Short mmCIF file of all heavy atoms in Angstrom, two decimals:
data_model
loop_
_atom_site.label_atom_id
_atom_site.label_comp_id
_atom_site.label_asym_id
_atom_site.label_seq_id
_atom_site.Cartn_x
_atom_site.Cartn_y
_atom_site.Cartn_z
N GLY Z 63 93.07 105.31 117.02
CA GLY Z 63 94.10 104.43 116.47
C GLY Z 63 95.02 105.20 115.54
O GLY Z 63 94.90 106.41 115.36
N CYS Z 64 95.95 104.47 114.94
CA CYS Z 64 96.94 105.10 114.06
C CYS Z 64 96.33 105.55 112.73
O CYS Z 64 96.71 106.58 112.18
CB CYS Z 64 98.09 104.13 113.80
SG CYS Z 64 99.00 103.68 115.29
N ASN Z 65 95.47 104.74 112.17
CA ASN Z 65 94.68 105.11 111.00
C ASN Z 65 95.52 105.64 109.85
O ASN Z 65 96.47 105.01 109.41
CB ASN Z 65 93.58 106.10 111.42
CG ASN Z 65 92.69 105.55 112.52
OD1 ASN Z 65 92.46 104.35 112.58
ND2 ASN Z 65 92.19 106.41 113.38
N GLY Z 66 95.20 106.84 109.36
CA GLY Z 66 95.83 107.37 108.16
C GLY Z 66 97.30 107.67 108.29
O GLY Z 66 98.00 107.84 107.28
N CYS Z 67 97.82 107.74 109.51
CA CYS Z 67 99.26 108.00 109.70
C CYS Z 67 100.10 106.96 109.00
O CYS Z 67 101.18 107.26 108.48
CB CYS Z 67 99.59 108.05 111.18
SG CYS Z 67 101.34 108.26 111.55
N ILE Z 68 99.59 105.71 108.98
CA ILE Z 68 100.33 104.62 108.34
C ILE Z 68 99.59 104.10 107.11
O ILE Z 68 99.77 102.96 106.70
CB ILE Z 68 100.65 103.49 109.34
CG1 ILE Z 68 99.43 103.19 110.21
CG2 ILE Z 68 101.81 103.86 110.22
CD1 ILE Z 68 98.82 101.88 109.99
N GLY Z 69 98.76 104.96 106.52
CA GLY Z 69 98.09 104.60 105.29
C GLY Z 69 96.91 103.68 105.47
O GLY Z 69 96.45 103.06 104.51
N MET Z 70 96.36 103.60 106.69
CA MET Z 70 95.18 102.78 106.95
C MET Z 70 93.94 103.67 106.88
O MET Z 70 93.37 104.09 107.88
CB MET Z 70 95.29 102.12 108.33
CG MET Z 70 96.17 100.92 108.34
SD MET Z 70 95.37 99.56 107.46
CE MET Z 70 96.64 98.31 107.58
N GLY Z 71 93.51 103.97 105.66
CA GLY Z 71 92.37 104.84 105.47
C GLY Z 71 92.78 106.30 105.39
O GLY Z 71 93.93 106.66 105.65
N GLN Z 72 91.84 107.15 105.01
CA GLN Z 72 92.03 108.61 104.93
C GLN Z 72 93.15 109.00 103.97
O GLN Z 72 93.82 110.03 104.15
CB GLN Z 72 92.29 109.20 106.32
CG GLN Z 72 91.19 108.89 107.30
CD GLN Z 72 91.61 109.07 108.74
OE1 GLN Z 72 91.88 110.18 109.17
NE2 GLN Z 72 91.67 107.97 109.49
N ALA Z 73 93.38 108.19 102.96
CA ALA Z 73 94.40 108.53 101.97
C ALA Z 73 93.98 109.79 101.23
O ALA Z 73 92.81 109.96 100.89
CB ALA Z 73 94.59 107.37 100.99
N PRO Z 74 94.92 110.69 100.96
CA PRO Z 74 94.58 111.92 100.26
C PRO Z 74 94.43 111.68 98.76
O PRO Z 74 94.89 110.66 98.22
CB PRO Z 74 95.78 112.83 100.54
CG PRO Z 74 96.92 111.88 100.73
CD PRO Z 74 96.33 110.65 101.37
N ALA Z 75 93.82 112.63 98.08
CA ALA Z 75 93.68 112.54 96.63
C ALA Z 75 95.04 112.74 95.96
O ALA Z 75 95.94 113.37 96.51
CB ALA Z 75 92.69 113.59 96.13
N THR Z 76 95.17 112.20 94.76
CA THR Z 76 96.43 112.28 94.02
C THR Z 76 96.85 113.72 93.79
O THR Z 76 96.04 114.54 93.33
CB THR Z 76 96.27 111.56 92.66
OG1 THR Z 76 95.89 110.21 92.89
CG2 THR Z 76 97.57 111.59 91.87
N HIS Z 77 98.10 114.02 94.13
CA HIS Z 77 98.72 115.33 93.90
C HIS Z 77 98.06 116.47 94.69
O HIS Z 77 98.38 117.63 94.45
CB HIS Z 77 98.74 115.69 92.41
CG HIS Z 77 99.49 114.72 91.55
ND1 HIS Z 77 100.78 114.33 91.83
CD2 HIS Z 77 99.13 114.06 90.41
CE1 HIS Z 77 101.19 113.48 90.89
NE2 HIS Z 77 100.21 113.29 90.03
N GLU Z 78 97.15 116.14 95.61
CA GLU Z 78 96.50 117.20 96.40
C GLU Z 78 97.23 117.37 97.74
O GLU Z 78 97.70 116.40 98.33
CB GLU Z 78 95.04 116.84 96.65
CG GLU Z 78 94.18 116.80 95.39
CD GLU Z 78 93.95 118.18 94.80
OE1 GLU Z 78 93.99 119.18 95.54
OE2 GLU Z 78 93.75 118.26 93.57
N ASN Z 79 97.28 118.61 98.22
CA ASN Z 79 97.98 118.90 99.47
C ASN Z 79 97.18 118.42 100.67
O ASN Z 79 95.98 118.69 100.80
CB ASN Z 79 98.23 120.40 99.60
CG ASN Z 79 99.25 120.91 98.60
OD1 ASN Z 79 100.12 120.16 98.16
ND2 ASN Z 79 99.16 122.18 98.24
N SER Z 80 97.87 117.70 101.55
CA SER Z 80 97.29 117.20 102.80
C SER Z 80 98.13 117.70 103.95
O SER Z 80 99.34 117.44 104.00
CB SER Z 80 97.25 115.66 102.80
OG SER Z 80 96.89 115.16 104.06
N LEU Z 81 97.54 118.45 104.88
CA LEU Z 81 98.24 118.93 106.07
C LEU Z 81 97.92 117.99 107.23
O LEU Z 81 96.74 117.76 107.53
CB LEU Z 81 97.81 120.36 106.42
CG LEU Z 81 98.68 121.48 105.82
CD1 LEU Z 81 98.66 121.43 104.31
CD2 LEU Z 81 98.25 122.84 106.34
N ARG Z 82 98.97 117.46 107.87
CA ARG Z 82 98.77 116.44 108.89
C ARG Z 82 99.62 116.72 110.13
O ARG Z 82 100.74 117.23 110.01
CB ARG Z 82 99.14 115.06 108.33
CG ARG Z 82 98.27 114.64 107.15
CD ARG Z 82 98.58 113.24 106.66
NE ARG Z 82 97.51 112.78 105.77
CZ ARG Z 82 97.16 111.52 105.60
NH1 ARG Z 82 97.80 110.56 106.24
NH2 ARG Z 82 96.17 111.20 104.78
N THR Z 83 99.09 116.35 111.28
CA THR Z 83 99.85 116.46 112.52
C THR Z 83 100.59 115.17 112.83
O THR Z 83 101.00 114.93 113.96
CB THR Z 83 98.93 116.84 113.70
OG1 THR Z 83 98.00 115.77 113.93
CG2 THR Z 83 98.17 118.12 113.41
N THR Z 84 100.76 114.33 111.82
CA THR Z 84 101.46 113.05 111.97
C THR Z 84 102.98 113.28 112.02
O THR Z 84 103.46 114.37 111.74
CB THR Z 84 101.10 112.12 110.80
OG1 THR Z 84 101.44 112.78 109.57
CG2 THR Z 84 99.61 111.81 110.79
N PRO Z 85 103.76 112.23 112.34
CA PRO Z 85 105.21 112.42 112.45
C PRO Z 85 105.99 112.29 111.16
O PRO Z 85 107.15 112.71 111.10
CB PRO Z 85 105.63 111.32 113.44
CG PRO Z 85 104.61 110.25 113.25
CD PRO Z 85 103.32 110.94 112.92
N ARG Z 86 105.39 111.68 110.11
CA ARG Z 86 106.18 111.38 108.91
C ARG Z 86 105.39 111.70 107.65
O ARG Z 86 104.16 111.57 107.63
CB ARG Z 86 106.59 109.89 108.89
CG ARG Z 86 107.58 109.57 109.97
CD ARG Z 86 108.06 108.13 109.91
NE ARG Z 86 109.07 107.95 110.94
CZ ARG Z 86 109.17 106.90 111.73
NH1 ARG Z 86 108.33 105.89 111.60
NH2 ARG Z 86 110.11 106.83 112.65
N ASN Z 87 106.13 112.07 106.62
CA ASN Z 87 105.51 112.34 105.32
C ASN Z 87 106.35 111.75 104.19
O ASN Z 87 106.48 112.35 103.13
CB ASN Z 87 105.31 113.84 105.11
CG ASN Z 87 106.61 114.64 105.18
OD1 ASN Z 87 107.64 114.14 105.65
ND2 ASN Z 87 106.57 115.87 104.70
N PHE Z 88 106.94 110.56 104.44
CA PHE Z 88 107.72 109.90 103.39
C PHE Z 88 106.82 109.62 102.18
O PHE Z 88 105.61 109.43 102.33
CB PHE Z 88 108.31 108.59 103.91
CG PHE Z 88 109.25 108.76 105.07
CD1 PHE Z 88 109.20 107.90 106.15
CD2 PHE Z 88 110.20 109.78 105.07
CE1 PHE Z 88 110.08 108.04 107.22
CE2 PHE Z 88 111.07 109.93 106.13
CZ PHE Z 88 111.02 109.07 107.20
N PRO Z 89 107.38 109.54 100.99
CA PRO Z 89 106.58 109.36 99.79
C PRO Z 89 105.69 108.12 99.87
O PRO Z 89 106.15 107.03 100.16
CB PRO Z 89 107.63 109.21 98.68
CG PRO Z 89 108.85 109.88 99.21
CD PRO Z 89 108.83 109.65 100.69
N GLY Z 90 104.40 108.30 99.65
CA GLY Z 90 103.47 107.19 99.61
C GLY Z 90 103.02 106.65 100.95
O GLY Z 90 102.16 105.77 101.00
N ARG Z 91 103.58 107.14 102.06
CA ARG Z 91 103.22 106.60 103.37
C ARG Z 91 101.73 106.79 103.67
O ARG Z 91 101.12 106.00 104.40
CB ARG Z 91 104.08 107.27 104.45
CG ARG Z 91 103.77 106.79 105.87
CD ARG Z 91 104.68 107.48 106.90
NE ARG Z 91 104.24 107.25 108.26
CZ ARG Z 91 104.60 106.24 109.03
NH1 ARG Z 91 105.41 105.32 108.56
NH2 ARG Z 91 104.16 106.13 110.27
N SER Z 92 101.14 107.83 103.11
CA SER Z 92 99.73 108.13 103.38
C SER Z 92 98.78 107.11 102.78
O SER Z 92 97.59 107.09 103.10
CB SER Z 92 99.39 109.51 102.81
OG SER Z 92 99.47 109.48 101.39
N GLY Z 93 99.30 106.27 101.86
CA GLY Z 93 98.45 105.34 101.12
C GLY Z 93 98.26 105.76 99.68
O GLY Z 93 97.79 104.96 98.86
N THR Z 94 98.61 106.99 99.35
CA THR Z 94 98.53 107.50 97.98
C THR Z 94 99.94 107.61 97.43
O THR Z 94 100.78 108.31 98.02
CB THR Z 94 97.84 108.87 97.94
OG1 THR Z 94 96.51 108.73 98.45
CG2 THR Z 94 97.79 109.43 96.53
N ARG Z 95 100.21 106.95 96.32
CA ARG Z 95 101.57 106.92 95.79
C ARG Z 95 102.08 108.33 95.46
O ARG Z 95 103.19 108.70 95.82
CB ARG Z 95 101.61 106.03 94.54
CG ARG Z 95 103.03 105.76 94.04
CD ARG Z 95 103.03 104.86 92.81
NE ARG Z 95 104.39 104.53 92.41
CZ ARG Z 95 105.03 103.43 92.78
NH1 ARG Z 95 104.44 102.56 93.56
NH2 ARG Z 95 106.27 103.20 92.38
N GLU Z 96 101.27 109.13 94.80
CA GLU Z 96 101.68 110.49 94.41
C GLU Z 96 101.06 111.48 95.40
O GLU Z 96 100.26 112.34 95.03
CB GLU Z 96 101.25 110.81 92.98
CG GLU Z 96 101.89 109.92 91.92
CD GLU Z 96 101.16 108.59 91.75
OE1 GLU Z 96 100.05 108.45 92.30
OE2 GLU Z 96 101.71 107.69 91.08
N ASP Z 97 101.42 111.35 96.68
CA ASP Z 97 100.85 112.23 97.69
C ASP Z 97 101.68 113.50 97.86
O ASP Z 97 102.80 113.60 97.37
CB ASP Z 97 100.70 111.51 99.03
CG ASP Z 97 102.01 110.97 99.58
OD1 ASP Z 97 103.08 111.29 99.03
OD2 ASP Z 97 101.97 110.22 100.58
N ARG Z 98 101.09 114.47 98.55
CA ARG Z 98 101.77 115.71 98.92
C ARG Z 98 101.39 116.03 100.36
O ARG Z 98 100.42 116.74 100.62
CB ARG Z 98 101.39 116.86 97.98
CG ARG Z 98 102.05 116.78 96.61
CD ARG Z 98 101.74 118.00 95.76
NE ARG Z 98 102.03 119.25 96.46
CZ ARG Z 98 103.24 119.79 96.59
NH1 ARG Z 98 104.30 119.17 96.08
NH2 ARG Z 98 103.41 120.92 97.25
N VAL Z 99 102.13 115.44 101.30
CA VAL Z 99 101.81 115.55 102.72
C VAL Z 99 102.75 116.55 103.39
O VAL Z 99 103.98 116.43 103.29
CB VAL Z 99 101.89 114.18 103.41
CG1 VAL Z 99 101.70 114.33 104.92
CG2 VAL Z 99 100.84 113.24 102.83
N PHE Z 100 102.16 117.51 104.09
CA PHE Z 100 102.88 118.47 104.92
C PHE Z 100 102.67 118.09 106.38
O PHE Z 100 101.59 117.61 106.76
CB PHE Z 100 102.35 119.89 104.71
CG PHE Z 100 102.54 120.47 103.34
CD1 PHE Z 100 101.75 120.06 102.27
CD2 PHE Z 100 103.49 121.46 103.11
CE1 PHE Z 100 101.91 120.61 101.00
CE2 PHE Z 100 103.66 122.02 101.85
CZ PHE Z 100 102.87 121.59 100.79
N LEU Z 101 103.67 118.34 107.23
CA LEU Z 101 103.57 118.09 108.67
C LEU Z 101 103.51 119.42 109.41
O LEU Z 101 104.33 120.31 109.15
CB LEU Z 101 104.76 117.27 109.16
CG LEU Z 101 105.05 115.97 108.43
CD1 LEU Z 101 106.29 115.30 109.02
CD2 LEU Z 101 103.85 115.02 108.52
N CYS Z 102 102.57 119.54 110.34
CA CYS Z 102 102.40 120.83 111.02
C CYS Z 102 101.71 120.62 112.36
O CYS Z 102 101.36 119.51 112.74
CB CYS Z 102 101.60 121.79 110.14
SG CYS Z 102 99.91 121.20 109.79
N SER Z 103 101.46 121.71 113.05
CA SER Z 103 100.79 121.69 114.35
C SER Z 103 99.28 121.61 114.17
O SER Z 103 98.75 121.90 113.08
CB SER Z 103 101.14 122.95 115.12
OG SER Z 103 100.53 124.08 114.50
N PRO Z 104 98.53 121.27 115.22
CA PRO Z 104 97.06 121.31 115.13
C PRO Z 104 96.54 122.71 114.81
O PRO Z 104 95.54 122.85 114.12
CB PRO Z 104 96.61 120.86 116.53
CG PRO Z 104 97.75 120.06 117.06
CD PRO Z 104 98.99 120.70 116.51
N GLU Z 105 97.22 123.75 115.31
CA GLU Z 105 96.80 125.12 115.03
C GLU Z 105 96.87 125.42 113.53
O GLU Z 105 95.94 125.99 112.94
CB GLU Z 105 97.67 126.11 115.81
CG GLU Z 105 97.44 126.12 117.30
CD GLU Z 105 98.28 125.10 118.07
OE1 GLU Z 105 98.80 124.15 117.44
OE2 GLU Z 105 98.40 125.24 119.29
N THR Z 106 97.99 125.03 112.91
CA THR Z 106 98.16 125.29 111.48
C THR Z 106 97.19 124.46 110.65
O THR Z 106 96.59 124.94 109.68
CB THR Z 106 99.61 125.01 111.06
OG1 THR Z 106 100.49 125.90 111.76
CG2 THR Z 106 99.80 125.20 109.57
N ALA Z 107 97.02 123.18 111.01
CA ALA Z 107 96.10 122.31 110.26
C ALA Z 107 94.67 122.83 110.35
O ALA Z 107 93.94 122.85 109.34
CB ALA Z 107 96.19 120.88 110.80
N THR Z 108 94.25 123.27 111.53
CA THR Z 108 92.87 123.76 111.71
C THR Z 108 92.65 125.07 110.98
O THR Z 108 91.63 125.26 110.29
CB THR Z 108 92.56 123.91 113.20
OG1 THR Z 108 92.82 122.69 113.88
CG2 THR Z 108 91.10 124.30 113.41
#
């Protein structure tokens, strides 16, 4: 399912870097207001 991509679980810790293969990293979209989400490939995330 979509899950953490739209903030449904798997929210990152405050101010901690999260690398995701999701399409968007708008502020707070992850479910954490003060998030730091990077978008990348599966190779980079792994």
Side-chain angles (χ1 to χ4, degrees):
C64 297
N65 303 328
C67 176
I68 43 112
M70 281 289 178
Q72 303 161 67
T76 302
H77 300 308
E78 295 290 333
N79 290 334
S80 171
L81 268 61
R82 298 184 166 209
T83 65
T84 58
R86 292 183 177 138
N87 59 345
F88 299 137
R91 179 179 168 89
S92 67
T94 299
R95 189 180 184 95
E96 297 83 11
D97 58 9
R98 285 185 51 80
V99 174
F100 295 75
L101 307 178
C102 62
S103 69
E105 289 88 342
T106 298
T108 306

